[in-house]
């Protein structure tokens, strides 16, 4: 049994809950690219063809199990429409991972993802901007190649230049690769959770806390 598991299972069962506060995932991109639809597809396994602009921000939570470990994601779906954005910016700070979405059939939405990325970094001011986990999602691939305006290679090149961002071509409509994209996001979140748990296990006061609880974690 790993030391971490022994501490949690035997002496401090609530540790994962304390550390494993929900991880904040934020979805950004132009209006109409399908941010709400992707979140809905992933969390509720559902899709609606009607469009209702998100105002400010909305969220859904989902518990994900990966390799027998659990992580809870709070997925923040933000407004793409400029007039509804100011409310959403408040949620940038505290995000653990950011999903940049564009519509493969809309070149402008791809050109704008860099602005979304830069604005996020300004507002969220993460400790290390160069290593902050972004994931890029190209949505609406179900509409067919003749509608496509953004070439896969172009988008892949952009992601590679930005530090090998994971890149997925998805469809919220038919569900294609949505699960796959969010699995990468959930893995980032789980890694962060485990790293924070590791920090606590290294805490010089931990032996005293465990002692207090009537045990030894060695
Ligand atoms: N064909 C197709 N349509 C999609 C897909 N994803 C979303 N849509 C449609 O595109 C429209 C906009 O989708 P939303 O998810 O509301 O877009 P949004 O990015 O949340 O828009 P804002 O809230 O304004 O920022 C809706 O009519 C959706 O049904 C997709 O993968 N394929
Ligand atoms: Mg929306």
């Amino acid at each position: 049994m790993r030391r971490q598991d022994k501490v949690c299972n035997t002496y401090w069962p609530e540790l994962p809950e304390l550390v494993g506060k929900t991880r904040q995932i934020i979805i950004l991109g132009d209006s109409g690219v399908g941010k709400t639809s992707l979140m809905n597809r992933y969390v509720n396994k559902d899709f609606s063809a009607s469009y209702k602009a998100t105002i400010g921000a909305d969220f859904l939570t989902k518990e994900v199990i990966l390799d027998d470990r659990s992580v809870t994601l709070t997925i923040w779906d933000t407004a793409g429409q400029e007039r509804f954005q100011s409310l959403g910016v408040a949620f940038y700070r505290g995000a653990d991972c950011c999903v940049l979405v564009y519509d493969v059939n809309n070149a402008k939405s791809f050109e704008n993802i860099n602005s979304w990325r830069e604005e996020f970094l300004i507002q969220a001011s993460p400790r290390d901007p160069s290593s902050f986990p972004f994931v890029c999602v190209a949505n609406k691939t179900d509409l067919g190649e003749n509608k496509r305006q953004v070439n896969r290679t172009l988008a892949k090149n952009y992601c590679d230049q930005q530090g090998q961002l994971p890149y997925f071509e998805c469809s919220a409509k038919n569900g294609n690769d949505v699960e796959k994209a969010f699995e990468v996001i959930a893995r980032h979140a789980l890694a962060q959770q485990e790293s924070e748990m590791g920090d606590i296990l290294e805490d010089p006061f931990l032996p005293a806390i465990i002692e207090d609880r009537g045990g030894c974690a060695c």
Side-chain angles (χ1 to χ4, degrees):
M1 194 193 283
R2 295 187 322 165
R3 181 165 187 265
Q4 182 166 314
D5 293 331
K6 184 168 182 191
V7 170
C8 299
N9 295 345
T10 319
Y11 304 112
W12 202 349
E14 64 276 40
L15 178 62
E17 279 144 48
L18 287 173
V19 179
K21 58 179 171 49
T22 80
R23 299 286 140 178
Q24 311 293 310
I25 312 303
I26 191 157
I27 312 181
L28 301 180
D30 278 7
S31 175
V33 295
K35 299 177 297 296
T36 302
S37 305
L38 286 163
M39 178 177 77
N40 230 0
R41 163 63 66 193
Y42 178 58
V43 178
N44 298 326
K45 310 218 174 315
D46 198 12
F47 175 78
S48 160
S50 64
Y51 170 50
K52 197 162 149 262
T54 302
I55 298 172
D58 205 353
F59 73 90
L60 288 176
T61 57
K62 181 176 168 96
E63 190 191 356
V64 186
I65 311 284
L66 293 166
D67 309 328
D68 292 334
R69 314 218 169 272
S70 146
V71 62
T72 304
L73 308 179
T74 300
I75 306 171
W76 289 95
D77 165 33
T78 62
Q81 275 189 39
E82 208 155 346
R83 62 196 166 123
F84 297 139
Q85 270 165 27
S86 51
L87 286 164
V89 171
F91 303 107
Y92 288 21
R93 208 171 272 270
D96 295 298
C97 179
C98 176
V99 188
L100 300 168
V101 183
Y102 72 91
D103 170 355
V104 288
N105 316 294
N106 175 345
K108 191 88 197 129
S109 72
F110 173 68
E111 286 161 25
N112 285 341
I113 59 165
N114 200 47
S115 309
W116 284 106
R117 186 180 158 278
E118 285 175 352
E119 184 60 18
F120 171 81
L121 289 172
I122 291 167
Q123 300 289 345
S125 53
R127 242 181 297 162
D128 181 6
S130 64
S131 69
F132 187 87
F134 286 96
V135 171
C136 182
V137 170
N139 191 35
K140 305 198 189 182
T141 51
D142 58 277
L143 291 173
E145 283 306 307
N146 55 343
K147 287 248 171 132
R148 184 188 274 260
Q149 291 183 4
V150 185
N151 169 291
R152 186 191 176 96
T153 317
L154 183 74
K156 260 303 268 149
N157 285 346
Y158 167 78
C159 291
D160 290 348
Q161 280 160 16
Q162 298 306 318
Q164 310 286 330
L165 308 190
Y167 170 76
F168 296 93
E169 297 214 331
C170 300
S171 163
K173 184 174 182 178
N174 64 22
N176 203 31
D177 279 355
V178 174
E179 192 75 35
K180 219 163 142 186
F182 277 96
E183 187 185 319
V184 166
I185 294 158
R187 283 197 185 278
H188 274 303
L190 185 64
Q192 282 168 341
Q193 180 171 290
E194 299 244 344
S195 142
E196 281 182 27
M197 188 116 76
D199 289 347
I200 289 186
L201 291 172
E202 295 303 315
D203 188 324
F205 293 107
L206 184 70
I209 295 166
I210 302 246
E211 193 68 23
D212 238 24
R213 288 170 176 254
C216 154
C218 24

